[in-house]
Structures are given as C-alpha cells and as structure tokens.
Amino acid sequence: MEDEYAKLIRRMNPPRVTIDNNSCADATVIQVESVNKPGILLEVVQVLTDLNLVITKAYISSDGRWFMDVFNVIHRNGNKVRDEGVISYIKKILESDAFYVPSLESSVGLKSSLDYTSIELAGADRPGLLSEVCAVLADLSCNVVSAEIWTHNARAAAVVNVTDEIMGCAIEDPERLLTIKNRLCNVFKGNNDPKTAKMTLSPPGYMHRERRLHQIMFADRDYEKVENEDINGLKAEVSVLDCVEKDYTVITMRCKDRPKLLFDTVCTITDMQYVVYHGVVHTGKMEAYQEYYIRHVDGIRINSEAERERVMKCLEAAIERRTSEALELELCAEDQVGLLSDITRVFRENSLCIKRAEISTENGKAKDIFYVTNTTGDSPVDPRTIDSIRKQIGQHTLLDVRWNLSPQKPTREETTMSYFFGHLFKFQTG
C-alpha cells in the first residue's frame, strides 16, 4: 500500500503536461512534469508509443522526488501532432493518477477475461509453429480475435486472445481450458528442448500486450545467445560503464532506428528493476542513440561484471526482438472461423517462416500483419512464392506486400553522435 504522505504530495503537485507546436520547427514538444514514482518513465513512453507517435528526441531527468521529461514527437508520416483530439487525450491520460502499467507479478493468473480468454505461450521456435498453434485452436473450436507473436534467439512467445467459436465469449470451463493448455504445450515444447513450454491465462482487466511479450521472453531467457545465431548485421552496440563521481551506471545504446525502439529499451530497463535518473535519446536518418544514467531500485549502481554482462545481453535482446530482415505481408479479409489457421497453413506449405505477427479483428474484418522469411532466412522471399500464395488465399482477400530491404549499416559520418551529459558526468569502465 502506498503511504498517505506520498498520496498527499501527489495531490499537492498534480502532473502537468505541456504540448507545444511552436518552439521546434520539425516536431511537437511534449513536456511532462510530475512527482516522481516507480515506472513513470515507462508509463509516459507507453502512452506516446501506443498512439503510433515517433519519439525523435527525449531528455529525461528524475533525480530526487521530481520527474521532468521532454519529448520531441512526430507522426509516422513526419508531421507534427496537430489533432486536438490526440493532444487532449495525451494531456488527459498523462495528467491522470489512474493510469497504471501492470507489473510482471500482477500480470499472470489463472482467470479469463469477460470478453475473451487471453492465452500466453512460450517455448522453442521452429518453422510452421504458428500454423500448428492455429490449427490446434481451430480444432478445439477456439476463434482467435487478436494475437501477437514474437520470435528471437530460437525462442517464441505469443499472447493470443480467443473466444468460443459458437458462443463468441470467453472460455470458462476448467476442463476445456486444461485440454487447450495440454494441446498447446505439446505444440510448443519442440524437439529436445531443454526448457519447458509454458502456457498461462491472463487475469481480467488491463494488460499491455507488448510489454507482456517482453516479460515472457525475458522470463524465458531469450537473451541467452544461440550458437551461430546471425541477425544480418543488425546487432546493437550496448555498453555499460561506471560514473563513479555521481554514483551512477551509464548505459549507452547505438543501433538502427525503428518504431517503438524507445519503448522496448525502457520496458526492459524497468522490468529489470532499474531506475533511469537522467537520459537522452537522439535519432538520426539511420541510427538511434540512447544514453541513460541508472541505479537499481535499491539505489545501488551495477557493481559486478556478471550483472554488467547480463544487462548488456538483455538490452540487446530487447532491441532485436522486433528487428528482423523479413518481408512484411498485410492481409485484410472478411473474418471467418478458421481463417487464421488456413492462412498460416498456406504460408507453411509455401516454405515461409513467420518471425513476427500481429493479428486483429474489428467489425467483422480481419487485419493481420506477418513478417516472414524463407526457411533458411538468408535470402529474399521469391516473388513467385507470393504470387502462389495470392492464388491460394483467393481473390476476396487483400494481400499487401512490402519489400522492405534494410539499408546498409550506417557509417560513423551518418550516425547520430550525442553525449548529452558528457560534460556533466565523468564515467569510466571497470
């Protein structure tokens, strides 16, 4: 229970959000001031990310009892945020005490939502895995209403929301839930997998799906590297240094920029029980740079080589989970029972591996995004394969193909070089 003094301080100093479209030529500036509380940085970043806003710069300061962050944001199309409805929503959410991000401990239970049953899965990745999962759910009369699947380092994690095929509501029967669990665990356990496949049910109420996926993969230790794992030059540069004079640990990250990168790194830092006291984020044309001054929640900086290595590996994993050299396929169709099972079966029969997927249905329409590679993953998908898939899924299904070939790794002259706090703090290795 939060103590009454902290509540009083927050009532006396309510959060203040200022949104400015005049001071910066190419971005909307959002300034957030509030009494400091655990996880507040992640809350703010999560709100902006969920609105599909791109954070081009950020300046973070939360030393002591006060939190003040400044974010430069734009829409995905590069324009400023001028929609009064969006601006009002940002202020309303960030100035409210009611906004809450579930912790890892409170996010896993054995109850289902009132509208759907949320299934969480973790296990070994392999070609055709999603197709097998969808086939099992279809066979058990479960309709997938939304889902998200990630793969990384030969591990796979998924959050799948299902309803009863006939009744259209959450599945409550304990025996049926046990059958679903056993069947899905059999699919997810893989061959000779030293780790145990996991299936749990989320409790009713709010759950941020992407944060849960980070937590599931972190708990499954996907940051432990697989031999001969190749991510095609997309590896992030992460360093963990000491700032002895100010008693901080300094984390710097440099990698190819992409949507939701800041959310992914802040999410992982938070879930590893570290607090960001100061920080800066800059994005260039091809690269993103992040620098954070952190301590553990107990106020201690990182003081062992083993902990330093673990933090580096976990942040590399957080960056890589959404990063893949894959072809993006967006499918739109009239929703129907078994659609997802049929589509993923077609992908499998055409030797495509699904590296990541976002499944959604709304107003009777299915909108699914798949990130796919061939079975080897080391060459582009043959255009003839896509033509074959189009013919098999039918004329009434729209399949949009984005041939997103990643640019070459940027040179140092092209990258964003920013050591914002370098003149304030001195840090050293060791």
Side-chain angles (χ1 to χ4, degrees):
M1 294 290 293
E2 186 178 31
D3 62 73
E4 293 301 317
Y5 177 73
K7 292 179 182 179
L8 174 64
I9 293 296
R10 277 215 307 273
R11 285 197 295 269
M12 294 174 61
N13 299 276
R16 296 193 297 272
V17 178
T18 304
I19 301 179
D20 175 15
N21 270 313
N22 299 319
S23 60
C24 181
D26 55 4
T28 298
V29 179
I30 300 177
Q31 180 172 309
V32 183
E33 298 179 79
S34 170
V35 172
N36 200 9
K37 64 176 182 177
I40 188 172
L41 175 60
L42 176 58
E43 293 181 6
V44 175
V45 172
Q46 182 173 299
V47 169
L48 300 179
T49 301
D50 287 348
L51 289 169
N52 287 320
L53 300 179
V54 177
I55 300 172
T56 59
K57 294 181 182 179
Y59 304 94
I60 300 158
S61 179
S62 61
D63 219 343
R65 293 183 175 272
W66 196 250
F67 170 89
M68 188 186 78
D69 281 7
V70 179
F71 300 91
N72 286 18
V73 303
I74 56 175
H75 285 294
R76 294 280 179 88
N77 60 13
N79 295 331
K80 291 185 178 183
V81 182
R82 297 191 182 277
D83 187 312
E84 288 300 325
V86 174
I87 291 173
S88 175
Y89 175 82
I90 293 172
K91 289 179 64 68
K92 179 180 178 181
I93 293 296
L94 294 183
E95 290 181 346
S96 170
D97 269 345
F99 187 73
Y100 171 68
V101 180
S103 68
L104 176 60
E105 289 77 15
S106 65
S107 298
V108 178
L110 294 173
K111 296 181 180 178
S112 55
S113 166
L114 295 177
D115 298 323
Y116 54 77
T117 299
S118 187
I119 299 171
E120 299 175 359
L121 297 159
D125 185 30
R126 66 178 184 279
L129 176 61
L130 179 58
S131 176
E132 294 178 39
V133 169
C134 294
V136 166
L137 291 173
D139 185 57
L140 294 172
S141 300
C142 299
N143 182 45
V144 178
V145 294
S146 64
E148 192 153 352
I149 299 93
W150 290 1
T151 65
H152 178 247
N153 269 347
R155 310 304 298 171
V159 176
V160 185
N161 298 329
V162 301
T163 58
D164 179 81
E165 180 182 302
I166 299 175
M167 303 301 294
C169 60
I171 300 168
E172 299 282 358
D173 180 50
E175 291 187 9
R176 188 176 176 192
L177 290 173
L178 182 60
T179 300
I180 294 171
K181 178 174 182 177
N182 291 337
R183 291 278 298 275
L184 290 177
C185 283
N186 284 336
V187 170
F188 250 76
K189 70 180 182 181
N191 297 322
N192 301 317
D193 184 17
K195 301 178 182 179
T196 303
K198 300 173 185 176
M199 196 216 93
T200 57
L201 303 177
S202 299
Y206 179 81
M207 180 191 70
H208 194 273
R209 191 165 64 194
E210 293 175 348
R211 188 178 184 198
R212 279 300 299 140
L213 284 164
H214 275 300
Q215 293 171 336
I216 293 167
M217 298 208 84
F218 174 74
D220 201 36
R221 303 175 69 88
D222 75 310
Y223 52 85
E224 295 177 341
K225 296 296 182 182
V226 175
E227 290 185 11
N228 302 320
E229 177 75 9
D230 181 16
I231 54 172
N232 302 315
L234 298 174
K235 183 176 175 61
E237 297 179 21
V238 181
S239 66
V240 180
L241 309 173
D242 289 327
C243 175
V244 178
E245 288 82 356
K246 298 293 183 179
D247 199 30
Y248 291 122
T249 294
V250 183
I251 296 174
T252 62
M253 288 170 278
R254 192 187 305 275
C255 64
K256 177 185 172 184
D257 192 27
R258 61 163 175 79
K260 301 188 178 183
L261 177 63
L262 181 58
F263 170 80
D264 293 339
T265 55
V266 171
C267 182
T268 298
I269 290 171
T270 303
D271 285 337
M272 292 186 73
Q273 301 295 301
Y274 294 102
V275 178
V276 175
Y277 289 86
H278 300 281
V280 62
V281 175
H282 275 245
T283 60
K285 292 182 179 179
M286 301 177 72
E287 188 184 55
Y289 175 85
Q290 300 179 34
E291 179 179 290
Y292 301 111
Y293 287 70
I294 70 164
R295 297 189 190 113
H296 195 266
V297 290
D298 60 10
I300 306 299
R301 62 184 170 89
I302 296 174
N303 53 23
S304 73
E305 188 59 31
E307 186 181 6
R308 191 189 313 275
E309 287 292 326
R310 183 170 178 265
V311 169
M312 291 173 61
K313 289 180 179 179
C314 290
L315 286 171
E316 287 172 4
I319 293 168
E320 293 167 4
R321 284 171 193 145
R322 256 195 257 249
T323 305
S324 61
E325 296 285 77
L327 177 67
E328 183 180 340
L329 303 178
E330 182 177 308
L331 181 144
C332 297
E334 292 290 332
D335 190 30
Q336 56 183 305
V337 174
L339 174 66
L340 187 58
S341 177
D342 292 340
I343 295 299
T344 53
R345 175 182 50 78
V346 170
F347 287 171
R348 185 188 71 220
E349 292 173 349
N350 283 272
S351 300
L352 293 186
C353 294
I354 298 172
K355 295 298 183 182
R356 195 156 57 86
E358 301 167 17
I359 311 299
S360 61
T361 57
E362 187 174 354
N363 298 324
K365 298 283 186 179
K367 181 179 179 181
D368 305 337
I369 300 175
F370 303 93
Y371 299 85
V372 302
T373 65
N374 55 29
T375 50
T376 60
D378 58 3
S379 60
V381 176
D382 191 328
R384 290 173 297 183
T385 301
I386 303 303
D387 291 338
S388 174
I389 289 173
R390 277 201 170 103
K391 292 176 182 177
Q392 293 178 63
I393 63 178
Q395 298 179 347
H396 300 292
T397 301
L398 177 64
L399 184 66
D400 187 20
V401 181
R402 296 183 179 90
W403 299 92
N404 294 330
L405 298 178
S406 295
Q408 295 180 348
K409 187 166 182 165
T411 62
R412 283 296 175 188
E413 287 74 19
E414 296 171 314
T415 59
T416 301
M417 299 289 288
S418 174
Y419 295 89
F420 182 73
F421 292 110
H423 66 290
L424 297 177
F425 306 130
K426 296 178 181 179
F427 56 88
Q428 62 188 34
T429 59

